[in-house]
Amino acid sequence: MKALTWQGKNNVSVETVDDPKIMAPTDIILEITSSAICGSDLHLYHGLVSTMEKGDVLGHEFAGKVVEVGSAVKRVKVGDRVVIPFTISCGHCLFCSAGKFSLCLQSNPNAEMLAKVTGYTTAGLFGYSHLYGGFAGGQAEYARVPFADVGAVVLPEEISEEHALFLSDIFPTGYMAAENCNIQPGEIVAVWGCGPVGQFAIRSAFLLGASKVIAIDKVPERLVMAENGGASAIDYSKVDVLEAIKHMTDGLGPHACIDAVGMESFGHTPDALIDDVLQAVKLETDRSHALRQAIQCCRNGGVVSVPGVYVGIVDNFPLGIAFGKGLTFKMGQTHVQSYTKKLLGLIVKGEIDPRFVISHRVGLDQVPDAYAMFAKKKDGCTKVVLSPHQNGITQVKPLGN
Ligand SMILES: NC(=O)c1ccc[n+]([C@@H]2O[C@H](COP(=O)([O-])OP(=O)(O)OC[C@H]3O[C@@H](n4cnc5c(N)ncnc54)[C@H](O)[C@@H]3O)[C@@H](O)[C@H]2O)c1
Ligand SMILES: [Zn+2]
Ligand SMILES: [Zn+2]
Protein backbone atom coordinates (compact mmCIF):
# COMPACT_ATOMS: atom_id res chain seq x y z
CA MET A 1 0.00 0.00 0.00
CA LYS A 2 0.95 3.66 -0.17
CA ALA A 3 1.66 5.49 3.09
CA LEU A 4 3.13 8.74 4.36
CA THR A 5 6.45 8.01 6.04
CA TRP A 6 8.77 9.97 8.33
CA GLN A 7 12.26 10.32 6.83
CA GLY A 8 13.92 12.83 9.17
CA LYS A 9 13.60 16.47 10.20
CA ASN A 10 11.21 18.36 7.88
CA ASN A 11 11.17 15.37 5.56
CA VAL A 12 8.19 13.09 4.93
CA SER A 13 7.51 11.07 1.79
CA VAL A 14 4.89 8.79 0.30
CA GLU A 15 6.29 5.28 -0.04
CA THR A 16 5.06 1.80 -0.85
CA VAL A 17 5.10 -0.23 2.36
CA ASP A 18 3.81 -3.66 3.41
CA ASP A 19 0.04 -3.98 3.80
CA PRO A 20 -0.95 -4.23 7.47
CA LYS A 21 -1.97 -7.66 8.76
CA ILE A 22 -4.03 -8.92 11.68
CA MET A 23 -1.46 -9.66 14.42
CA ALA A 24 -3.74 -10.31 17.40
CA PRO A 25 -7.30 -11.68 17.58
CA THR A 26 -8.58 -8.28 18.81
CA ASP A 27 -7.23 -6.41 15.73
CA ILE A 28 -9.12 -5.12 12.71
CA ILE A 29 -7.83 -3.85 9.35
CA LEU A 30 -9.28 -0.62 8.09
CA GLU A 31 -9.39 0.80 4.58
CA ILE A 32 -8.77 4.48 5.27
CA THR A 33 -11.26 6.87 3.71
CA SER A 34 -10.41 10.00 5.68
CA SER A 35 -7.41 11.01 7.73
CA ALA A 36 -5.91 14.25 9.07
CA ILE A 37 -2.67 16.02 9.94
CA CYS A 38 -2.42 17.17 13.56
CA GLY A 39 -0.33 19.77 15.38
CA SER A 40 1.18 16.77 17.17
CA ASP A 41 2.46 15.50 13.80
CA LEU A 42 4.37 18.77 13.47
CA HIS A 43 6.44 17.93 16.56
CA LEU A 44 7.52 14.74 14.74
CA TYR A 45 8.00 16.62 11.47
CA HIS A 46 10.27 19.14 13.20
CA GLY A 47 12.39 16.33 14.62
CA LEU A 48 11.55 17.15 18.24
CA VAL A 49 10.33 13.72 19.34
CA SER A 50 12.85 10.98 20.11
CA THR A 51 12.78 7.35 18.90
CA MET A 52 11.39 8.07 15.43
CA GLU A 53 12.84 5.84 12.73
CA LYS A 54 13.12 6.39 8.98
CA GLY A 55 10.11 4.81 7.29
CA ASP A 56 7.71 5.10 10.26
CA VAL A 57 4.15 5.58 8.97
CA LEU A 58 2.56 8.72 10.45
CA GLY A 59 -1.02 9.69 11.24
CA HIS A 60 -3.19 9.22 14.32
CA GLU A 61 -6.48 10.80 13.22
CA PHE A 62 -8.26 8.48 10.80
CA ALA A 63 -11.52 6.86 9.78
CA GLY A 64 -12.49 4.24 7.27
CA LYS A 65 -14.24 1.02 6.37
CA VAL A 66 -13.53 -2.25 8.19
CA VAL A 67 -12.21 -4.84 5.71
CA GLU A 68 -11.03 -7.60 8.07
CA VAL A 69 -11.63 -8.50 11.73
CA GLY A 70 -9.64 -10.72 14.10
CA SER A 71 -11.25 -13.86 15.58
CA ALA A 72 -11.98 -12.24 18.98
CA VAL A 73 -13.58 -9.03 17.65
CA LYS A 74 -17.29 -8.98 18.54
CA ARG A 75 -18.69 -5.46 18.33
CA VAL A 76 -17.09 -4.27 15.08
CA LYS A 77 -18.06 -5.95 11.78
CA VAL A 78 -16.62 -6.07 8.27
CA GLY A 79 -18.22 -3.23 6.32
CA ASP A 80 -18.72 -0.95 9.36
CA ARG A 81 -17.60 2.64 8.95
CA VAL A 82 -15.53 3.60 11.98
CA VAL A 83 -13.45 6.42 13.50
CA ILE A 84 -10.43 5.33 15.55
CA PRO A 85 -9.18 7.03 18.78
CA PHE A 86 -5.48 7.91 18.60
CA THR A 87 -4.94 6.30 22.01
CA ILE A 88 -4.60 2.51 21.81
CA SER A 89 -6.18 1.03 24.92
CA CYS A 90 -6.87 -2.50 26.16
CA GLY A 91 -10.18 -1.62 27.84
CA HIS A 92 -9.71 -3.67 30.99
CA CYS A 93 -6.52 -2.66 32.87
CA LEU A 94 -6.63 -0.55 36.04
CA PHE A 95 -6.52 2.73 34.12
CA CYS A 96 -8.82 1.77 31.22
CA SER A 97 -11.37 0.59 33.79
CA ALA A 98 -11.25 4.06 35.34
CA GLY A 99 -11.76 5.74 31.95
CA LYS A 100 -8.14 6.92 31.82
CA PHE A 101 -7.52 5.30 28.45
CA SER A 102 -4.33 7.19 27.56
CA LEU A 103 -2.68 5.67 30.64
CA CYS A 104 -3.39 2.07 29.54
CA LEU A 105 -0.88 -0.38 31.02
CA GLN A 106 -1.33 -3.07 28.36
CA SER A 107 -1.19 -1.50 24.91
CA ASN A 108 2.43 -0.32 24.55
CA PRO A 109 4.75 -3.08 23.31
CA ASN A 110 7.68 -0.84 24.27
CA ALA A 111 6.40 -0.33 27.81
CA GLU A 112 9.78 -1.00 29.41
CA MET A 113 11.54 1.54 27.20
CA LEU A 114 8.95 4.22 28.07
CA ALA A 115 8.95 3.35 31.78
CA LYS A 116 12.72 3.95 31.89
CA VAL A 117 11.97 7.56 30.97
CA THR A 118 8.66 8.23 32.70
CA GLY A 119 8.67 5.80 35.61
CA TYR A 120 5.67 3.82 34.37
CA THR A 121 4.35 3.04 30.90
CA THR A 122 1.35 4.75 29.32
CA ALA A 123 -0.74 3.78 26.30
CA GLY A 124 0.55 3.03 22.82
CA LEU A 125 -0.29 5.71 20.25
CA PHE A 126 -0.69 5.46 16.47
CA GLY A 127 2.17 6.90 14.43
CA TYR A 128 3.89 8.51 17.41
CA SER A 129 7.43 7.16 17.87
CA HIS A 130 8.80 3.89 19.20
CA LEU A 131 8.57 5.04 22.82
CA TYR A 132 4.81 4.92 22.26
CA GLY A 133 4.84 1.50 20.66
CA GLY A 134 6.04 2.07 17.10
CA PHE A 135 2.49 1.57 15.73
CA ALA A 136 2.03 2.43 12.05
CA GLY A 137 -0.35 5.36 11.61
CA GLY A 138 -3.30 6.13 9.38
CA GLN A 139 -1.97 8.58 6.77
CA ALA A 140 -2.07 5.57 4.51
CA GLU A 141 -4.40 3.43 2.44
CA TYR A 142 -4.89 0.83 5.20
CA ALA A 143 -4.21 0.56 8.94
CA ARG A 144 -4.14 -2.13 11.59
CA VAL A 145 -6.17 -1.21 14.67
CA PRO A 146 -5.48 -3.14 17.90
CA PHE A 147 -8.20 -3.57 20.57
CA ALA A 148 -10.79 -2.49 18.01
CA ASP A 149 -13.81 -3.37 20.15
CA VAL A 150 -12.61 -0.93 22.82
CA GLY A 151 -12.04 2.16 20.73
CA ALA A 152 -13.58 2.02 17.25
CA VAL A 153 -16.56 4.34 16.96
CA VAL A 154 -19.10 2.75 14.61
CA LEU A 155 -20.81 5.51 12.65
CA PRO A 156 -24.56 5.72 12.11
CA GLU A 157 -25.73 5.97 8.49
CA GLU A 158 -26.45 9.69 8.52
CA ILE A 159 -22.87 10.62 9.49
CA SER A 160 -19.99 10.63 6.99
CA GLU A 161 -16.48 9.61 8.02
CA GLU A 162 -15.26 13.17 7.54
CA HIS A 163 -18.12 14.50 9.68
CA ALA A 164 -16.97 12.34 12.61
CA LEU A 165 -13.22 12.21 11.84
CA PHE A 166 -12.20 14.59 14.62
CA LEU A 167 -13.61 12.25 17.28
CA SER A 168 -10.26 10.51 16.76
CA ASP A 169 -8.45 13.29 18.63
CA ILE A 170 -8.98 17.04 18.42
CA PHE A 171 -12.66 17.25 19.44
CA PRO A 172 -12.21 15.04 22.54
CA THR A 173 -8.90 16.83 23.21
CA GLY A 174 -10.50 20.28 23.18
CA TYR A 175 -13.39 18.93 25.24
CA MET A 176 -11.18 17.28 27.87
CA ALA A 177 -9.09 20.46 28.07
CA ALA A 178 -12.26 22.43 28.88
CA GLU A 179 -13.63 19.76 31.22
CA ASN A 180 -10.32 19.84 33.13
CA CYS A 181 -11.06 23.53 33.85
CA ASN A 182 -14.00 22.50 36.04
CA ILE A 183 -15.97 25.43 34.60
CA GLN A 184 -18.74 26.77 36.82
CA PRO A 185 -21.63 28.58 35.09
CA GLY A 186 -20.60 32.07 34.09
CA GLU A 187 -16.86 31.61 34.46
CA ILE A 188 -14.24 32.99 32.07
CA VAL A 189 -11.77 30.77 30.21
CA ALA A 190 -8.74 31.88 28.16
CA VAL A 191 -7.30 29.66 25.43
CA TRP A 192 -3.74 30.04 24.11
CA GLY A 193 -3.44 28.72 20.55
CA CYS A 194 -6.24 28.90 17.98
CA GLY A 195 -5.15 25.83 16.04
CA PRO A 196 -7.65 22.98 15.72
CA VAL A 197 -7.25 21.95 19.38
CA GLY A 198 -7.76 25.52 20.57
CA GLN A 199 -10.84 25.85 18.33
CA PHE A 200 -12.47 22.79 19.91
CA ALA A 201 -11.44 23.95 23.39
CA ILE A 202 -13.21 27.27 22.78
CA ARG A 203 -16.44 25.62 21.65
CA SER A 204 -16.26 23.04 24.45
CA ALA A 205 -15.74 25.74 27.10
CA PHE A 206 -19.01 27.35 25.97
CA LEU A 207 -20.76 23.95 25.91
CA LEU A 208 -19.64 23.47 29.53
CA GLY A 209 -21.02 26.81 30.70
CA ALA A 210 -18.32 29.47 30.24
CA SER A 211 -19.77 32.98 29.89
CA LYS A 212 -16.73 34.33 28.07
CA VAL A 213 -13.82 32.73 26.23
CA ILE A 214 -10.72 34.72 25.37
CA ALA A 215 -8.61 33.31 22.51
CA ILE A 216 -4.93 34.16 21.95
CA ASP A 217 -2.95 33.59 18.73
CA LYS A 218 -1.46 35.71 15.96
CA VAL A 219 -2.62 33.89 12.81
CA PRO A 220 -5.41 36.14 11.43
CA GLU A 221 -7.73 33.48 9.99
CA ARG A 222 -7.44 31.38 13.13
CA LEU A 223 -8.39 34.40 15.26
CA VAL A 224 -11.40 34.96 12.98
CA MET A 225 -12.38 31.29 13.37
CA ALA A 226 -12.12 31.72 17.16
CA GLU A 227 -14.41 34.77 16.97
CA ASN A 228 -16.85 32.79 14.83
CA GLY A 229 -16.94 30.34 17.74
CA GLY A 230 -17.93 33.17 20.10
CA ALA A 231 -14.51 33.96 21.57
CA SER A 232 -12.98 37.40 22.13
CA ALA A 233 -9.68 37.34 20.23
CA ILE A 234 -6.29 38.73 21.25
CA ASP A 235 -3.40 38.97 18.75
CA TYR A 236 -0.36 38.31 20.95
CA SER A 237 1.98 39.89 18.41
CA LYS A 238 0.19 43.24 18.68
CA VAL A 239 -0.80 43.78 22.30
CA ASP A 240 0.40 43.08 25.83
CA VAL A 241 -1.52 39.89 26.57
CA LEU A 242 -1.61 40.28 30.37
CA GLU A 243 -2.90 43.85 30.15
CA ALA A 244 -5.50 42.92 27.52
CA ILE A 245 -6.72 40.00 29.61
CA LYS A 246 -6.91 42.08 32.78
CA HIS A 247 -8.97 44.61 30.88
CA MET A 248 -11.40 41.89 29.74
CA THR A 249 -11.78 40.25 33.17
CA ASP A 250 -12.35 43.16 35.59
CA GLY A 251 -8.71 42.99 36.60
CA LEU A 252 -9.00 39.50 38.13
CA GLY A 253 -7.99 37.21 35.26
CA PRO A 254 -9.74 34.19 33.74
CA HIS A 255 -10.90 31.41 36.10
CA ALA A 256 -9.08 28.93 33.88
CA CYS A 257 -6.38 29.07 31.21
CA ILE A 258 -5.88 26.45 28.51
CA ASP A 259 -2.48 25.99 26.84
CA ALA A 260 -3.43 24.61 23.41
CA VAL A 261 -0.02 25.56 21.98
CA GLY A 262 2.38 23.07 23.53
CA MET A 263 6.11 22.63 23.02
CA GLU A 264 6.53 24.81 19.90
CA SER A 265 5.35 28.09 21.35
CA PHE A 266 6.45 31.33 19.67
CA GLY A 267 7.03 34.70 21.28
CA HIS A 268 9.12 37.85 21.10
CA THR A 269 9.93 38.37 24.78
CA PRO A 270 13.40 37.43 26.13
CA ASP A 271 12.21 34.14 27.66
CA ALA A 272 10.82 33.03 24.26
CA LEU A 273 14.01 34.01 22.43
CA ILE A 274 16.12 32.11 24.98
CA ASP A 275 13.83 29.08 24.41
CA ASP A 276 14.54 29.21 20.67
CA VAL A 277 18.26 28.95 21.34
CA LEU A 278 18.03 26.30 24.07
CA GLN A 279 15.78 24.07 21.97
CA ALA A 280 17.99 24.47 18.90
CA VAL A 281 21.07 23.33 20.85
CA LYS A 282 19.06 20.60 22.59
CA LEU A 283 19.49 22.04 26.11
CA GLU A 284 15.72 21.90 26.46
CA THR A 285 13.18 19.88 24.52
CA ASP A 286 10.15 22.16 24.85
CA ARG A 287 9.48 25.89 24.35
CA SER A 288 6.94 26.90 26.98
CA HIS A 289 6.41 30.64 26.52
CA ALA A 290 2.62 30.34 26.15
CA LEU A 291 2.42 28.19 29.27
CA ARG A 292 4.41 30.75 31.26
CA GLN A 293 2.06 33.47 30.05
CA ALA A 294 -1.00 31.38 30.91
CA ILE A 295 0.33 30.91 34.46
CA GLN A 296 0.89 34.64 34.80
CA CYS A 297 -2.51 35.60 33.38
CA CYS A 298 -4.54 33.05 35.34
CA ARG A 299 -6.76 34.23 38.19
CA ASN A 300 -5.42 33.41 41.66
CA GLY A 301 -6.68 29.99 42.68
CA GLY A 302 -7.50 29.15 39.04
CA VAL A 303 -6.86 26.16 36.81
CA VAL A 304 -4.22 25.78 34.10
CA SER A 305 -5.26 23.04 31.70
CA VAL A 306 -2.60 21.80 29.27
CA PRO A 307 -3.72 19.81 26.22
CA GLY A 308 -0.68 21.12 24.28
CA VAL A 309 1.94 18.39 24.02
CA TYR A 310 5.20 18.57 26.00
CA VAL A 311 7.74 15.78 25.63
CA GLY A 312 10.57 16.52 28.04
CA ILE A 313 12.33 19.33 29.82
CA VAL A 314 11.29 23.00 29.96
CA ASP A 315 13.58 25.81 31.06
CA ASN A 316 12.60 28.79 33.18
CA PHE A 317 9.38 27.28 34.48
CA PRO A 318 7.67 29.72 36.89
CA LEU A 319 6.82 27.18 39.56
CA GLY A 320 7.04 29.78 42.33
CA ILE A 321 4.46 31.98 40.61
CA ALA A 322 2.10 29.02 40.16
CA PHE A 323 2.66 28.09 43.82
CA GLY A 324 2.12 31.61 45.08
CA LYS A 325 -1.13 31.93 43.14
CA GLY A 326 -2.42 28.56 44.32
CA LEU A 327 -2.99 27.25 40.80
CA THR A 328 -4.21 23.77 39.87
CA PHE A 329 -2.65 22.00 36.86
CA LYS A 330 -4.41 19.41 34.70
CA MET A 331 -2.78 17.92 31.61
CA GLY A 332 -2.09 14.88 29.52
CA GLN A 333 -2.86 12.88 26.44
CA THR A 334 -6.59 12.69 25.93
CA HIS A 335 -8.62 9.75 27.23
CA VAL A 336 -10.32 9.72 23.82
CA GLN A 337 -12.51 6.63 24.34
CA SER A 338 -14.16 8.31 27.35
CA TYR A 339 -15.58 11.08 25.17
CA THR A 340 -16.45 9.57 21.80
CA LYS A 341 -20.01 8.44 22.63
CA LYS A 342 -21.07 11.75 24.12
CA LEU A 343 -19.47 13.87 21.40
CA LEU A 344 -20.81 11.68 18.56
CA GLY A 345 -24.23 12.35 20.12
CA LEU A 346 -23.66 16.12 19.81
CA ILE A 347 -22.65 15.69 16.14
CA VAL A 348 -25.67 13.51 15.33
CA LYS A 349 -28.01 16.03 17.02
CA GLY A 350 -26.45 18.78 14.93
CA GLU A 351 -25.25 20.72 17.99
CA ILE A 352 -21.78 20.96 16.46
CA ASP A 353 -20.40 20.26 13.00
CA PRO A 354 -16.67 19.58 13.53
CA ARG A 355 -15.94 20.14 9.84
CA PHE A 356 -15.90 23.90 10.51
CA VAL A 357 -12.17 23.60 11.15
CA ILE A 358 -11.20 22.03 7.78
CA SER A 359 -9.26 24.37 5.50
CA HIS A 360 -7.75 21.95 2.95
CA ARG A 361 -8.45 18.55 1.41
CA VAL A 362 -5.57 16.66 -0.19
CA GLY A 363 -4.74 13.35 -1.82
CA LEU A 364 -2.09 11.07 -0.32
CA ASP A 365 0.51 12.10 -2.90
CA GLN A 366 0.19 15.74 -1.84
CA VAL A 367 0.58 15.12 1.89
CA PRO A 368 4.28 16.11 1.99
CA ASP A 369 3.32 19.52 0.52
CA ALA A 370 0.45 19.73 2.99
CA TYR A 371 2.84 19.15 5.92
CA ALA A 372 5.02 22.04 4.76
CA MET A 373 1.98 24.31 4.33
CA PHE A 374 0.47 23.37 7.73
CA ALA A 375 3.82 23.78 9.49
CA LYS A 376 4.16 27.33 8.14
CA LYS A 377 0.42 28.13 8.67
CA LYS A 378 0.49 29.23 5.00
CA ASP A 379 -2.49 29.75 2.67
CA GLY A 380 -4.99 29.84 5.53
CA CYS A 381 -4.05 26.30 6.44
CA THR A 382 -5.82 25.35 9.68
CA LYS A 383 -6.67 21.67 9.28
CA VAL A 384 -5.79 19.31 6.45
CA VAL A 385 -7.92 16.28 5.67
CA LEU A 386 -6.61 13.66 3.31
CA SER A 387 -8.52 11.14 1.27
CA PRO A 388 -6.22 8.48 -0.14
CA HIS A 389 -8.09 8.51 -3.45
CA GLN A 390 -8.28 12.25 -4.06
CA ASN A 391 -5.82 14.04 -6.33
CA GLY A 392 -4.37 17.46 -5.69
CA ILE A 393 -4.90 20.05 -2.95
CA THR A 394 -8.20 21.93 -2.62
CA GLN A 395 -8.75 24.84 -0.31
CA VAL A 396 -12.04 24.72 1.54
CA LYS A 397 -13.98 27.75 2.69
CA PRO A 398 -14.27 27.03 6.43
CA LEU A 399 -17.85 26.54 7.72
CA GLY A 400 -18.90 29.42 9.93
CA ASN A 401 -19.67 27.77 13.28
N1 LIG B 1 -3.25 16.26 24.72
C1 LIG B 1 -3.50 15.60 23.60
O1 LIG B 1 -3.92 14.45 23.65
C2 LIG B 1 -3.31 16.30 22.29
C3 LIG B 1 -4.02 15.89 21.17
C4 LIG B 1 -3.89 16.61 19.98
C5 LIG B 1 -3.01 17.68 19.91
N2 LIG B 1 -2.31 18.02 21.02
C6 LIG B 1 -1.38 19.16 21.02
O2 LIG B 1 -2.12 20.37 21.06
C7 LIG B 1 -1.30 21.42 20.52
C8 LIG B 1 -2.10 22.17 19.47
O3 LIG B 1 -2.43 21.31 18.39
P1 LIG B 1 -3.01 21.94 17.04
O4 LIG B 1 -3.32 20.82 16.13
O5 LIG B 1 -4.07 22.93 17.34
O6 LIG B 1 -1.66 22.67 16.53
P2 LIG B 1 -1.33 23.94 15.62
O7 LIG B 1 0.14 23.92 15.42
O8 LIG B 1 -2.21 23.96 14.41
O9 LIG B 1 -1.75 25.19 16.52
C9 LIG B 1 -0.92 25.79 17.48
C10 LIG B 1 -1.27 27.27 17.49
O10 LIG B 1 -0.57 27.91 18.56
C11 LIG B 1 -0.26 29.22 18.13
N3 LIG B 1 0.79 29.79 18.99
C12 LIG B 1 2.15 29.62 18.93
N4 LIG B 1 2.73 30.32 19.91
C13 LIG B 1 1.75 30.95 20.60
C14 LIG B 1 1.73 31.84 21.72
N5 LIG B 1 2.86 32.21 22.34
N6 LIG B 1 0.53 32.29 22.18
C15 LIG B 1 -0.63 31.94 21.56
N7 LIG B 1 -0.68 31.10 20.48
C16 LIG B 1 0.50 30.63 20.02
C17 LIG B 1 0.14 29.03 16.68
O11 LIG B 1 0.10 30.24 15.94
C18 LIG B 1 -0.90 28.01 16.22
O12 LIG B 1 -2.05 28.64 15.67
C19 LIG B 1 -0.05 20.73 19.96
O13 LIG B 1 0.99 20.78 20.92
C20 LIG B 1 -0.51 19.29 19.81
O14 LIG B 1 0.58 18.39 19.86
C21 LIG B 1 -2.45 17.35 22.19
ZN1 LIG C 1 -3.78 14.63 16.78
ZN1 LIG D 1 -5.72 -0.64 29.39
Side-chain angles (χ1 to χ4, degrees):
M1 66 164 182
K2 283 203 295 187
L4 192 277
T5 62
W6 187 89
Q7 297 294 338
K9 189 174 172 182
N10 296 333
N11 186 1
V12 291
S13 64
V14 178
E15 304 291 340
T16 301
V17 303
D18 290 342
D19 286 352
K21 290 192 175 50
I22 299 271
M23 291 168 68
T26 47
D27 289 355
I28 60 171
I29 302 294
L30 205 62
E31 181 185 354
I32 309 288
T33 50
S34 204
S35 160
I37 308 178
C38 179
S40 298
D41 292 323
L42 294 180
H43 309 322
L44 306 172
Y45 183 66
H46 291 142
L48 297 170
V49 180
S50 67
T51 71
M52 288 298 293
E53 291 174 14
K54 273 192 177 187
D56 285 348
V57 177
L58 300 186
H60 58 268
E61 302 183 354
F62 56 94
K65 208 165 98 183
V66 180
V67 291
E68 205 182 332
V69 298
S71 57
V73 176
K74 296 200 172 66
R75 191 175 59 82
V76 180
K77 311 263 180 309
V78 169
D80 280 351
R81 295 174 314 117
V82 293
V83 174
I84 305 300
F86 79 91
T87 38
I88 301 170
S89 314
C90 78
H92 58 258
C93 72
L94 182 70
F95 291 103
C96 286
S97 303
K100 296 184 188 301
F101 291 94
S102 73
L103 306 179
C104 177
L105 293 171
Q106 301 289 344
S107 64
N108 185 349
N110 295 330
E112 269 184 38
M113 183 160 85
L114 181 59
K116 276 198 184 123
V117 182
T118 57
Y120 311 92
T121 188
T122 54
L125 307 174
F126 287 104
Y128 219 76
S129 84
H130 290 263
L131 266 184
Y132 290 95
F135 289 96
Q139 289 162 6
E141 290 180 301
Y142 295 90
R144 167 191 165 232
V145 178
F147 304 114
D149 273 343
V150 179
V153 185
V154 179
L155 299 180
E157 251 175 36
E158 65 267 36
I159 297 290
S160 70
E161 287 96 301
E162 189 179 274
H163 206 160
L165 175 61
F166 302 135
L167 290 175
S168 57
D169 180 348
I170 54 173
F171 189 8
T173 294
Y175 194 87
M176 184 168 117
E179 197 181 69
N180 277 342
C181 294
N182 191 22
I183 300 167
Q184 303 303 307
E187 286 190 345
I188 306 172
V189 176
V191 179
W192 273 256
C194 298
V197 169
Q199 298 294 338
F200 281 102
I202 290 165
R203 283 146 185 89
S204 300
F206 281 124
L207 284 169
L208 290 166
S211 64
K212 182 187 269 189
V213 179
I214 300 167
I216 302 115
D217 205 306
K218 70 168 181 184
V219 182
E221 62 277 3
R222 293 179 178 213
L223 289 170
V224 169
M225 194 181 268
E227 283 175 335
N228 290 342
S232 312
I234 294 179
D235 180 338
Y236 75 82
S237 68
K238 295 202 173 125
V239 299
D240 181 315
V241 174
L242 176 61
E243 286 310 314
I245 285 185
K246 277 188 180 169
H247 187 69
M248 293 158 98
T249 57
D250 292 331
L252 287 169
H255 298 81
C257 291
I258 296 177
D259 168 7
V261 178
M263 60 184 285
E264 295 193 64
S265 176
F266 290 106
H268 43 263
T269 49
D271 66 302
L273 302 176
I274 292 169
D275 275 344
D276 289 347
V277 175
L278 291 179
Q279 193 184 50
V281 299
K282 298 198 182 333
L283 280 174
E284 69 170 340
T285 49
D286 307 70
R287 311 195 305 257
S288 65
H289 171 70
L291 180 56
R292 285 185 205 110
Q293 198 167 61
I295 289 169
Q296 199 188 22
C297 291
C298 194
R299 181 178 294 230
N300 291 348
V303 178
V304 176
S305 162
V306 188
V309 161
Y310 290 86
V311 296
I313 309 293
V314 298
D315 183 66
N316 193 13
F317 185 74
L319 186 61
I321 297 175
F323 179 85
K325 295 175 73 170
L327 303 182
T328 297
F329 284 82
K330 299 280 275 182
M331 64 190 81
Q333 298 283 5
T334 306
H335 307 304
V336 180
Q337 292 87 337
S338 284
Y339 296 95
T340 47
K341 193 170 170 204
K342 176 182 194 150
L343 300 183
L344 175 64
L346 296 182
I347 298 171
V348 171
K349 277 191 270 167
E351 287 182 28
I352 185 164
D353 184 342
R355 292 172 298 185
F356 76 86
V357 81
I358 299 172
S359 62
H360 290 78
R361 294 196 175 87
V362 306
L364 197 47
D365 288 334
Q366 290 77 41
V367 181
D369 294 335
Y371 264 81
M373 176 174 65
F374 180 49
K376 295 209 164 74
K377 325 289 183 225
K378 262 175 44 188
D379 299 326
C381 187
T382 303
K383 188 73 179 176
V384 177
V385 169
L386 51 132
S387 318
H389 304 298
Q390 156 158 348
N391 255 326
I393 299 187
T394 34
Q395 187 156 6
V396 183
K397 192 176 174 306
L399 298 177
N401 81 340

